[in-house]
Structure formats: structure tokens, C-alpha cells
Amino acid sequence: MVPASHRTQTHFLIDIAKRVFEGLLTAWIAVTLTFFALRAATGDPVSSLLSQGLATVEQAQALRTALGLDQPLTIQYLDFIAGLFKGDLGLSLYTSQPVDQIILQQLPSTAELALSGLISGVLLGFFLGTTAAWKRDHWTGKLASSLSGLSTSVPVAFIAILALLLVGMLGQQTTGNLNFLGYSGLLPALVLGITTAGPIAKVIESGLIESLQSEYIHAAMARGYQKDLRLLWHALRPALPPVVSLSALEAAYLFSGTVVTETVFSRPGLGRLLLRSILEGDFPIAQGLVVVAAIFYTLSHLGADLIAMLLDPRLRDTT
Amino acid sequence: MNKAGCTFKPPILLILAALLLGGCAAQADPHRKLIYGLTLSPSGIDPHINASAELGIPLRSVYDTLIFLDPVTGEFVPGLATAWSISEDGKRYTFELRDDVVFHDATPFDAAAVKANIDYVLNADHHSQKAAALLGPITSVDVIAPDVVVFNLEEPFAPLLDSLSQVYLGMASPQALERWGASEYQFHQVGTGPYRFVEYIPNDRILLERFDGYDWATEIYREPHAGYREIEFRFFEDLATRAIALESGNVDILGEIPPMDAQRLSSSGEFSMHPVPIPGQPLQYLFNTKNEPTDDVRVRTALIHAVDRQMIVETVFMSTSPVALGPLSAEGFGHLLSTNQLAYDLTSAQELMREAGWIADQEGVLRDKDNTAMELTIIAPSWGSNPDVAQLVKVAWEALGAEVTLQIAPGFGPLREAQASGNYHAIGINFFGTDPDILRPMFTSTGLYNWSGYANNELDNSLRLAAQSSLDPVQRQRLYQKSIEHITTQALVLPIRDYVNLVIADNDIAGLRYSAPGWFPLLIELKPTS
Amino acid sequence: MTGRITIIISSFWVVAVILLAIFGPLAAPADPFSPVGEPLLSPLEHGPMGTDALGRDLWSRILYGARQSLSAALLATTLTVSIGTTLGLIAVLYTSWLGGIILTLANAALAIPGLLLAMLFVAAMGPGYLTVILAIGLGGAPGFIRLSRSIFAQIADEGYVDVARALGAGKLRIARNHILLNAQGPLLSLATTHFAWAFMGITTLTFLGLAGDPSIPEWGVIMNSGRAFLIDAPWLAVVPGALISLTILAVHHLGLELTDRFRPRG
């Protein structure tokens, strides 16, 4: 017989392995869908280049060979997958630069934006969520609750416009240098943060309300505990695991937000790159970006699951 | 109040701290580094290969050219070549070169370097989009002596000197060209100009550093050692954010500012406005003469008469740029244009349509004898004010009774693709340049940009002869006047406005001046005011 | 959850926007495509909202825009709901391999955020107004499949479906008479919530210029073109932006209320 504790551990490992496998499967299917959706719809991109007079027939043939477009679709697909493992995402149609290189060039800027967006979103979410629950019967709590609702419903584009308007107005009012507002740095991050804060605030709010109503807290209050920081911390703890996994998921969704923010604030990055490649019809770049997003999403989903399992002992036992 | 109130302060404090930290990091010594804004992010920035005008803004100061075009006098002056001569038959150009010039990578500049540059441009594998065309019918380059080089042409080519004064034929270090090859050279450019190329991160920035050993400055640089130590170029593609970027101190000089913003900024006392006229073609639409109904010159003329160009210029450009007079701008080419412009005249437009067989029905829709309604498609590029102008042209033609579809092409690639499909009646395209030869690719029957599909022997001949009249400027001028008249009477193009680049510069910067082609600043002359 | 007043205001707003979409163009004082005067007139100079950068009457463009934006989101939602419920229902009825494939594919597609998925479709089909509608319709489908499947599954688990099956009812009949009939309420709330997402998606994509023609009077397009005049004429971007936000907010609240009301018992 296997000892009980050992069995739980084995279960836990099997669980992890299972989720990793699921994650990889999801990523693979998403990548495959992307490949076929784009390839089927765009046909032979070289013929359109040829029609633009960018290449002669011989050059077009050479380009087709270079891009592997003269192969049957299944071979192209296998090549694409094989390339993925080597980090090779193909070549841009317009500049012939490797797509992975182009993406890597733009990645730091977007990573910085998304990370600072996520951090400010989590901070703001905590602030709104705890206020909404803690001061539930006070007008500040009601305000915080509706603000977090607002943050999920107002499009990023509009928040960005309002932020830009604010900077513009300030720029007109003052003669000083407004660089400190970080028009292309901090401000876009705050805009992203505002849109991220809503869901996080809602999770914290409901989690906190639930634990504030729990017998444990009631008992503590009855024993004369002040409604203070220490109590808040105790009440907040059970609400944390879902926030962690939500934040990881939000991180993946931030990518859609960066498309708008980077455009409105004229900031370089993956979002603008995606928009540009779509508008110009440079499909290898668009494909590469979606693949990267899908893999990133799957990984952060997996990461969130694993963290939640580690944080919450109850989850470990369920299969 | 209970103590819980203070729980909520830390996040606010953190955000404030972040704000302040951001502020400290962003502020640097204003006299060392200048930030210059670009308004388009080119797909590539090798001037020998790519065609964008934007790349010249930084790179004009990285490269010297064999000769320069003086922006004040309009004369050609010595650059890397000290003197030049043209043979009797116009097919042989001899250049004497400076012998004291070294590239930024310490490679010496000589006749072999010139040959290497021209060979690089003409190499078919490099797909040069502009530089190769600028060289025209060139066949070979001969190295006669280390400081003498000869260009051999198949036939006379009048625009050659103008071509050689352009950044697209700037002299690059042959060693760097060899080392990096056409795919990588754009990231490692080496010239002999007043600024050294440091780095290029696509869509992000281009960085230049002052080259202190610059001892061979052309005479057009008044102060070849004055400039800022570093100049960083950032991209502000979005029209809407440009003024705000200036006001918030994120950029010091920025062009293509929307007129309303430009006026506001220049009246604020912090900025100065520099309207820079750009020689070349105006913002214009080419009519497709291959599709009905624009194959009929009467229909084309009617469509021109139907557009109130004055109103468009007032609405979109707030009269900051002049109404265009023809297929070339008044700036630089005024002597070639007749002032007899095609005016806004709805009555004659309707009259011409009737003559062409298009009668307005009771709803005002133009119909031909088969009762088919007139359908027109406009293709306009997405950059600058093109979409705004196109919308107003659409409205004007709809008012005349046509059914109009507007298609916006986002970028040059999609524009060419849309053009290649042939499904259009008017398409927005124009080129900039200081030589009237820019008309040739657009209006000769075999021209690369003959997007109107027009083919006429007489026009072909006069444009070709004009390009060959290198030794007879008077004859050349006459031929261009004739060609422009032909283009105007045939109503091949609807010209809207001459380009004027509204540049806004921080008042802390002095010495802003532009080279002859308009777009490119003489960066080395920029300096702090105090 | 949501207060009574919020629901009343939200319903009022949604009805108002629907009325605008239906009757707005009839009431519009001017053609939304043609200039009526000087560009960038303020609301004080040219009522009630001034003119845009090309001298067109902003109020008329907003009125036409209500119809454009609302019908686009409605079309996209209809597409999503039809694909989503059909596939979701199939996944419940054919629990064997077919249902498994549908669910696995939907889950995998969910690895790409909806808006990104929509942009992928635009990349494949090329920018255009119809493309945007289709893309948002398709981009929302994977999520809807999963959510509708879980509703159907819950109903299917309830006893009487088993009874019907035992009585020899065919799958189609079970689907129609039992599952779909009982799922109407929850589906309605799901569709309402989804409509808010579709509305946000459509206006975001048109804002990004993916609709092609900038003369279309659509709220996202109007907001985008107003952006260039943020300092001199802020209302050009703020008015459509606020209308979009308020509409999403109102629909979102109604969705929450419906979800509360149709929350499956037990």
C-alpha cells in the first residue's frame, strides 16, 4: 500500500503533468488554426508582390522557393512547425527580415508597457476592490464599486483619448516640461492599468465580502477586534489565489489592449506591429504575432493554474 | 474615522513615486541631445535601396554626395567632387574628387569607392527602388585615377547632376557595403557626412552622433561644427499625437503638423512654425484612362471642374498651402506652369457630362444612354491628409451625380496592389523631387508609374527628349512646358495642393534650415538658442 | 447585485439608443457625408454638436452612426450566437468524439484573445467594414460555444431530458422541445452580455482604421477622426467615445441583471 501522503503527492504530479499536456495541446491547435486560416485566405502572397511590380517572374519564383511557398500545404505546415521549435517564424513579405527578429526588436517596448500596465492595474484593482468591500455601506465603497464596473465597460481607446486630452490640456496650461507625465511611457501604462483594474477589483470585492461575512471574521469582530489593517489582511488572504490566476490571464489579454494604446500614444511595440502588418497584408508577421500570443496565453494560463494549485491546498486534492 | 483609511494610501504613494521617478529619468541635459520626430516609419532605410523621403531626414547628414544643390541659389556646388565636366555628346561625365576624405570607419574615399557605390545601387539583386532609377541610362563607371572617376551613359541624361546631389546616391563606405551586404547594411550605415550613424531600431528610433573629424564640408553648410552632439529620431506616425508630443516635451522638432495645431503651437510663444515648401508633384489624383467612363477626356475634365479645390485647401489645410496649378508644384517649377488652371465650375462640368452622353436623371444621378449609372472608384493612400482630401473629392463627384466608392490604401504596398488590380478611376500618388524628370515615369507609356494608363507618342517624345537635353536648358524648359500643357488639356491629373511641410520647432533651438528637396534639415546647423 | 436605479437608467439608455438607430437618420438635419459649413465649428456656432474636420454636421453623423454601430454589433452578435448555440448544442447532444472535437477546438481558439482572433480574420480577409463585422462575429464564437454548451449541459442533466430520451424522442426533438426551450432565458442573458463585447470590439476595430473608408458615419470611425483635433475640438472624439462607453455600460448592466434573473436554480 502507498502511504496516503505519498499518494496525494503522486496525484499532484500527475495533475501537473496533465495540465502541462493540455496546455501544449491547446497551443498546438491554436497555432495550427492560425496557420491554415491565414494561408487559406491569403493564397499566394508572392503573386500579389509580383502584381505590384516589386519582383520579376524569376525573382518571384526565387522568393517562393525561399519562403517555401512552392511546396504542398502540408509540407509548408510541417516546415512551419519545425521552424517554430527553432524560433524561426519565416520572413516578412515586404522587408525580407526574419519575423522572429522583427518581433524580438519590438518585444521589449511592449513587455515594458504590458508589465507596468499589469502592475498599475493590480494596484488599482486592489485599491478599488478593497474599498468597495470594506466601505460597502459608505458612499466611497459604492463609488469604488461603480468605478471598477466602469473600467470594464469603457473601451481602451476612449480611456486613452481622455488621458491624452488631459496631457494636452496640461501642456497648454503650463509652460514647463511635461516629460514627467511620461507621455509615451507611464501614461499608456496607466491607461492599460485602468482597463485591467476592473476585473481584478471585482474579484477582490466579492472575495472580500464573502470572507468578511464568514463566521471567523464575525467571531473576531465580536471579540472586540477593530476593523483595521490586521483584520483586512486576514480577510483578504482567502481572496488572493483567484486574483493571482486572474492577473496571469489578464497579462495575456493585455496584448489586445497594447494594440490600441500603442497606436493612440504613437509608441513602438508589438501591438502597432500587428496593426501595421494587418493593414499592409504582411501575413507572416501577423501570423508570427498571433502564434506568440497564443503560446504566451497558454503558458500564463498554465502558470496561473499551477500557482493556484500551490496556493490553495484544497485544489491539490481534487482531480 | 477608523484606521483602515490608511490602507488605501500606499498604492497612491507608489503611483506618485513612479511618476516622479519617471520624471527624473526622462530629463537630460537639453544642450547635448536633440529629439527630432519622423512622421512615417519606412520599411527600410538604406537610401541606395529604399525610396522613402523620411529616411533622408536623418541620413542626409550621414552622407555627403558628389555634388550638392544649394538651397539658396539653386545652383550645383562641389561636394565630394571638386569639379566636373560633360562631354560634347552628353554621354560622359568626368568628376574630380577630393583626396582628403575618409569615411566614419576610416576607409579612405576615392574613385574606387564611387564605383563600388554605383555598382551596389545597380546590382539587380538589391532591388533599388529609387537610386537606380535616378542614375538613368548609366552603363558603367570607370576609375581613371584615385581622384578621377568617369560615368558612361547610353544616351544623354539631363537629370544626372540633380540625381548625384540626392541622399539616395550618398557615398557609403565600400568596406561597410561589402561587409554587411544589402540585407544588413541599413543597420550599419557608414558615410562621410557631419553625423555618424549609431543605430537603427525599426519603428523605434534612429540615433546619430556628431562626427568631429568632419573637415571636408561643402559650402552649403554654414557652420559645419555647430551641431548637437547627439540627435535621436523617433517616430510619430499618428497625426493626432504630434502636437501633444511637442507640448509635452517628448520631441523638439516635428514636421507634418496639422495646420490647426501648428497655428496654436506657434502662437503659444514656446514654438516656432517653419512652413517648408516641397518641390515635386502636388497632392493629386491620376485618372485611369483605361476604364469607362474616365477614358473620355470630357468626363475627366468635368470631374476636375466639379471639384472646388480652393474649398478643399481652405478646409483641410486652412490655406497653409497653395492650390496646385498643374502636375508639378509652383515651388521650383513655377516657370513651367501656365497659370490657366482648371477652375471650379459646376455648370461647365454638367455641360461636359451631357456632351459625353451622361444625363442626370430626376434624382440627379448621371446615366448613359443604356441607363447605367456612373460609378467611380477612388483609391487614396492613408498617410497625411490624403483620406480627408479624398472624402471631399468623393462628395464633390457625388454632387455632380456619380456614385463614388472610396478605398483607402494603408501603405505604399497596398496602394500598388490596389493599382495593379486596375479597378479604379482615380488614384492618389505623387513624387517629390527637384528635377522635372519626375514626370517621365508617370506620363510616358512605358513609365513604371504610368497609373493613368495613358499612352501618347507626342507626350512620350517630348518627355524623353527633355530628359536627354542635358546641354540645352532652354530647349529642355520648352519641352516640359509643352508636356505639362498636354497633360493639362488631356485632364490626366486632378491636382489639389502643393505640399508645404509645417514644421514646428521648440524655441530653444536655432538655425533650422532645409536642403533643396525640402524634407531634409541641415542638422549640423542646429544649435541651442542661448 | 445591481441597483434598481441603475437598471432603470440602463434600460432607458438602451431604448434611447435603439430609437436613435431607427429614427435618427430620419431626424438628421443634414447629409452625414457632405460638408455643411466651415470645418471645426464649435457646438455654439453650429448646433447642436458643431462640425467635424471636413465641415460635416457632427450631430447628423452621430445619428447615422447610431444605426451603423448598433446594427453592426447586432449582426456580429447574431453570427456569434448562431454559430455558438449550434456548435454548443451539437457538443451536448453528441457527447462522443464530435462534441470532444468541438470543445477542444473552441478551447484552443480561446488561447487567442477574442479581439486578436478578430484581427486575425481581418488580416486574412483584408480591411473593410463588412470584414470587421464578420471578424467580430467569428472572433466571439469560441467563447460563446463554451458558455452555451455549459448552459445546455446543465439543462440536459436535468431529469426530464432523460425521460424524453427513454420515451424514444430523437435528438433533434430533444434539442428543440427541451433543451432550447429551457435555455431561452440564460441564452438571452448570455447574448446580451456578448452584445456589449461585440459593440466594444466593432468600435475598437473601426477606431483602429480597419473599416477602410473613413467617411462611414460610425461611432468608432468618428472617434478616430476626431482624435486629430483633441485640443482644439475635443468634443469630436469625446462625444462618440462617451456614447460608445455609455452604451456598453448600459448593455453590460442589463446583461448582469438578466444573468441574475435567469441563474439556473440549484
Side-chain angles (χ1 to χ4, degrees):
Chain A
M1 281 293 281
V2 190
S5 67
H6 190 201
R7 199 168 58 195
T8 333
Q9 214 173 11
T10 324
H11 265 290
F12 185 48
L13 285 177
I14 290 174
D15 227 30
I16 288 179
K18 208 174 130 194
R19 285 191 198 196
V20 170
F21 175 72
E22 272 173 12
L24 288 177
L25 188 72
T26 307
W28 172 64
I29 296 175
V31 167
T32 307
L33 283 178
T34 312
F35 178 87
F36 285 102
L38 269 180
R39 206 52 72 91
T42 48
D44 180 357
V46 174
S47 68
S48 87
L49 282 183
L50 189 64
S51 70
Q52 295 165 36
L54 291 181
T56 64
V57 178
E58 293 77 34
Q59 286 164 355
Q61 199 47 50
L63 190 58
R64 272 197 199 97
T65 317
L67 294 172
L69 292 174
D70 50 353
Q71 307 276 340
L73 202 59
T74 44
I75 302 287
Q76 286 183 41
Y77 171 68
L78 290 179
D79 280 349
F80 179 70
I81 295 292
L84 267 189
F85 282 103
K86 289 179 284 181
D88 174 10
L89 292 167
L91 300 177
S92 153
L93 284 183
Y94 286 103
T95 66
S96 299
Q97 250 188 299
V99 171
D100 51 299
Q101 224 178 64
I102 298 176
I103 292 180
L104 278 179
Q105 269 167 351
Q106 305 292 321
L107 183 69
S109 170
T110 298
E112 186 193 305
L113 177 63
L115 194 69
S116 43
L118 187 64
I119 292 173
S120 50
V122 169
L123 289 178
L124 195 64
F126 255 92
F127 173 65
L128 289 176
T130 41
T131 314
W134 200 248
K135 302 255 184 163
R136 206 175 161 201
D137 303 317
H138 194 253
W139 66 268
T140 44
K142 294 205 171 76
L143 181 69
S145 184
S146 29
L147 277 182
S148 55
L150 210 59
S151 123
T152 38
S153 299
V154 180
V156 197
F158 190 48
I159 298 178
I161 280 181
L162 290 180
L164 213 52
L165 183 61
L166 188 77
V167 177
M169 297 278 197
L170 284 175
Q172 268 199 303
Q173 297 302 314
T174 59
T175 45
N177 191 321
L178 279 172
N179 238 329
F180 72 91
L181 270 176
Y183 143 82
S184 60
L186 192 75
L187 204 64
L190 281 179
V191 167
L192 269 188
I194 290 173
T195 60
T196 323
I200 293 177
K202 282 292 168 210
V203 169
I204 291 180
E205 184 184 338
S206 56
L208 199 55
I209 288 175
E210 194 181 324
S211 68
L212 281 177
Q213 285 165 342
S214 69
E215 285 170 22
Y216 158 64
I217 299 287
H218 272 292
M221 301 255 288
R223 264 186 279 135
Y225 267 90
Q226 282 290 313
K227 203 178 172 187
D228 64 3
L229 265 179
R230 220 150 49 102
L231 189 70
L232 177 67
W233 172 238
H234 282 294
L236 206 50
R237 256 172 50 186
L240 285 184
V243 175
V244 173
S245 40
L246 183 66
S247 305
L249 295 187
E250 287 278 325
Y253 276 91
L254 272 177
F255 188 55
S256 344
T258 60
V259 179
V260 174
T261 339
E262 286 173 359
T263 306
V264 175
F265 288 97
S266 271
R267 232 188 98 100
L270 296 179
R272 272 247 310 272
L273 183 67
L274 177 69
L275 187 61
R276 205 185 153 104
S277 63
I278 289 175
L279 286 170
E280 293 188 344
D282 199 338
F283 86 94
I285 297 186
Q287 174 179 281
L289 283 169
V290 175
V291 164
V292 168
I295 292 173
F296 180 66
Y297 174 88
T298 317
L299 287 182
S300 54
H301 201 121
L302 192 65
D305 274 359
L306 295 183
I307 292 171
M309 283 162 73
L310 289 173
L311 278 181
D312 191 344
R314 279 169 305 171
L315 273 178
R316 272 184 232 170
D317 304 329
T318 54
T319 313
Chain B
M1 280 296 284
N2 57 36
K3 284 201 292 180
C6 67
T7 335
F8 311 121
K9 276 173 189 156
I12 294 179
L13 283 178
L14 267 174
I15 291 169
L16 277 178
L19 271 165
L20 289 172
L21 275 175
C24 298
Q27 257 154 14
D29 175 7
H31 295 276
R32 274 178 58 88
K33 186 168 178 175
L34 178 80
I35 299 177
Y36 197 110
L38 302 179
T39 53
L40 266 181
S41 181
S43 54
I45 64 158
D46 182 347
H48 311 100
I49 290 176
N50 303 107
S52 162
E54 214 65 20
L55 63 84
I57 294 176
L59 296 177
R60 176 68 266 190
S61 299
V62 170
Y63 295 103
D64 284 327
T65 38
L66 292 182
I67 49 183
F68 279 80
L69 182 55
D70 190 316
V72 182
T73 62
E75 302 288 327
F76 293 115
V77 298
L80 293 174
T82 50
W84 55 89
S85 59
I86 308 172
S87 68
E88 286 288 308
D89 62 357
K91 292 184 182 177
R92 211 175 128 88
Y93 283 66
T94 309
F95 294 91
E96 285 166 40
L97 308 174
R98 292 185 76 117
D99 56 7
D100 57 346
V101 179
V102 287
F103 288 98
H104 300 149
D105 63 356
T107 312
F109 168 78
D110 55 15
V114 175
K115 184 175 165 53
N117 269 274
I118 303 301
D119 288 348
Y120 178 82
V121 167
L122 293 178
N123 187 331
D125 292 339
H126 295 170
H127 309 305
S128 169
Q129 294 158 10
K130 180 155 184 168
L134 285 176
L135 285 172
I138 201 162
T139 49
S140 63
V141 176
D142 295 334
V143 177
I144 305 294
D147 59 349
V148 180
V149 68
V150 165
F151 285 38
N152 298 306
L153 308 181
E154 199 180 317
E155 57 188 32
F157 186 58
L160 187 66
L161 289 181
D162 181 77
S163 298
L164 291 172
S165 76
Q166 295 194 32
V167 61
Y168 306 98
L169 292 170
M171 289 296 136
S173 160
Q175 203 189 326
L177 291 177
E178 169 85 37
R179 177 171 170 207
W180 299 106
S183 58
E184 283 290 306
Y185 175 71
Q186 61 166 327
F187 299 106
H188 308 277
Q189 307 197 34
V190 180
T192 63
Y195 276 91
R196 199 172 64 78
F197 181 93
V198 179
E199 68 171 344
Y200 164 48
I201 301 173
N203 301 311
D204 188 1
R205 66 170 177 270
I206 298 171
L207 190 63
L208 304 184
E209 189 184 62
R210 197 176 66 210
F211 177 61
D212 287 327
Y214 188 56
D215 296 329
W216 44 82
T218 159
E219 63 183 72
I220 74 162
Y221 291 141
R222 290 171 189 157
E223 286 183 85
H225 301 283
Y228 285 82
R229 177 154 296 286
E230 274 189 339
I231 303 183
E232 184 177 322
F233 295 83
R234 292 206 201 124
F235 300 97
F236 296 88
E237 288 186 86
D238 202 292
L239 209 66
T241 53
R242 291 183 196 155
I244 295 170
L246 279 159
E247 280 175 320
S248 60
N250 282 269
V251 63
D252 300 313
I253 304 178
L254 189 49
E256 299 239 47
I257 304 293
M260 192 164 217
D261 289 328
Q263 282 171 7
R264 190 188 68 246
L265 289 167
S266 62
S267 62
S268 75
E270 287 176 70
F271 300 95
S272 52
M273 175 163 71
H274 305 254
V276 186
I278 310 288
Q281 292 174 319
L283 193 163
Q284 62 183 16
Y285 293 90
L286 291 181
F287 286 111
N288 188 346
T289 59
K290 284 192 162 163
N291 283 354
E292 277 184 19
T294 43
D295 55 344
D296 186 332
V297 63
R298 289 167 299 190
V299 171
R300 298 198 295 268
T301 315
L303 290 174
I304 293 178
H305 279 312
V307 177
D308 186 351
R309 299 178 300 157
Q310 185 71 41
M311 182 277 281
I312 293 182
V313 168
E314 277 165 18
T315 303
V316 181
F317 306 102
M318 301 181 72
S319 304
T320 50
S321 40
V323 175
L325 301 177
L328 287 176
S329 62
E331 171 74 16
F333 306 106
H335 57 289
L336 301 177
L337 305 166
S338 67
T339 48
N340 182 18
Q341 53 169 302
L342 288 160
Y344 174 54
D345 185 349
L346 212 49
T347 327
S348 33
Q350 284 157 343
E351 182 58 37
L352 278 163
M353 281 295 186
R354 238 191 320 275
E355 274 176 38
W358 293 92
I359 316 288
D361 67 9
Q362 276 165 346
E363 276 108 53
V365 178
L366 287 173
R367 293 182 182 278
D368 65 5
K369 56 182 191 306
D370 305 325
N371 210 27
T372 321
M374 179 182 278
E375 287 178 18
L376 299 172
T377 301
I378 308 176
I379 300 175
S382 61
W383 54 81
S385 319
N386 280 299
D388 286 348
V389 172
Q391 289 178 64
L392 290 179
V393 171
K394 177 185 174 192
V395 169
W397 290 348
E398 279 171 347
L400 189 63
E403 285 169 12
V404 187
T405 313
L406 171 61
Q407 211 182 315
I408 300 290
F412 196 64
L415 185 69
R416 290 180 81 152
E417 200 162 350
Q419 189 275 325
S421 74
N423 303 322
Y424 63 95
H425 299 94
I427 188 163
I429 176 78
N430 64 287
F431 293 109
F432 302 111
T434 37
D435 191 284
D437 192 47
I438 48 175
L439 290 176
R440 203 163 41 99
M442 203 169 267
F443 294 106
T444 47
S445 46
T446 53
L448 192 57
Y449 292 97
N450 181 7
W451 289 3
S452 61
Y454 186 71
N456 178 285
N457 271 337
E458 200 186 326
L459 186 58
D460 281 5
N461 281 337
S462 60
L463 284 173
R464 210 188 55 240
L465 277 176
Q468 293 177 359
S469 316
S470 28
L471 300 167
D472 190 350
V474 180
Q475 147 105 343
R476 195 166 185 235
Q477 179 172 334
R478 212 172 42 76
L479 284 165
Y480 280 121
Q481 280 165 340
K482 200 176 136 202
S483 308
I484 288 172
E485 206 182 302
H486 186 118
I487 292 166
T488 315
T489 26
Q490 282 299 312
L492 297 180
V493 43
L494 166 63
I496 304 287
R497 67 118 178 182
D498 285 356
Y499 270 88
V500 174
N501 182 10
L502 292 185
V503 179
I504 296 287
D506 199 301
N507 275 344
D508 294 343
I509 297 155
L512 183 59
R513 207 155 67 90
Y514 283 80
S515 62
W519 295 113
F520 317 135
L522 307 180
L523 295 173
I524 194 65
E525 295 185 357
L526 295 172
K527 58 190 174 193
T529 16
S530 49
Chain C
M1 282 281 288
T2 25
R4 186 112 231 116
I5 301 168
T6 322
I7 292 307
I8 292 171
I9 297 175
S10 298
S11 323
F12 180 78
W13 181 262
V14 169
V15 170
V17 172
I18 291 174
L19 289 179
L20 268 192
I22 298 173
F23 301 109
L26 301 175
D31 175 16
F33 298 99
S34 306
V36 293
E38 300 252 308
L40 303 174
L41 290 176
S42 76
L44 297 174
E45 293 164 302
H46 179 98
M49 287 187 182
T51 57
D52 73 359
L54 296 181
R56 297 174 294 207
D57 181 37
L58 183 62
W59 173 234
S60 302
R61 284 181 70 74
I62 292 284
L63 286 176
Y64 274 87
R67 179 179 286 182
Q68 288 277 2
S69 304
L70 219 61
S71 53
L74 199 64
L75 271 173
T77 307
T78 312
L79 185 64
T80 306
V81 170
S82 358
I83 297 177
T85 40
T86 312
L87 292 181
L89 199 56
I90 292 176
V92 168
L93 291 178
Y94 302 88
T95 36
S96 58
W97 60 274
L98 187 57
I101 288 178
I102 289 175
L103 264 191
T104 316
L105 285 180
N107 279 335
L110 274 174
I112 306 168
L115 200 65
L116 212 58
L117 195 61
M119 289 179 80
L120 182 70
F121 287 120
V122 179
M125 295 181 280
Y129 193 50
L130 248 152
T131 312
V132 166
I133 299 175
L134 272 175
I136 291 293
L138 292 174
F144 207 90
I145 294 175
R146 204 158 79 162
L147 291 173
S148 66
R149 191 210 73 105
S150 68
I151 291 176
F152 296 142
Q154 212 165 9
I155 293 167
D157 279 349
E158 282 167 22
Y160 49 88
V161 172
D162 286 337
V163 175
R165 194 168 286 156
L167 289 174
K171 283 196 169 171
L172 271 178
R173 241 182 82 197
I174 294 176
R176 197 182 59 229
N177 291 356
H178 299 282
I179 301 186
L180 272 182
L181 204 64
N182 287 297
Q184 273 173 3
L187 271 185
L188 180 69
S189 75
L190 210 56
T192 311
T193 318
H194 186 82
F195 181 86
W197 181 86
F199 197 85
M200 171 134 35
I202 296 259
T203 48
T204 301
L205 293 194
T206 56
F207 173 81
L208 290 172
L210 294 177
D213 183 352
S215 64
I216 303 172
E218 193 272 345
W219 286 356
V221 175
I222 300 175
M223 174 161 68
N224 187 28
S225 52
R227 208 156 53 91
F229 306 92
L230 210 48
I231 308 296
D232 296 297
W235 56 87
L236 288 183
V238 172
V239 168
L243 288 173
I244 292 170
S245 307
L246 287 174
T247 308
I248 294 172
L249 200 64
V251 176
H252 181 76
H253 277 303
L254 290 187
L256 285 182
E257 173 70 13
L258 286 173
T259 315
D260 269 3
R261 194 165 289 179
F262 291 116
R263 189 167 302 235
R265 305 150 299 275

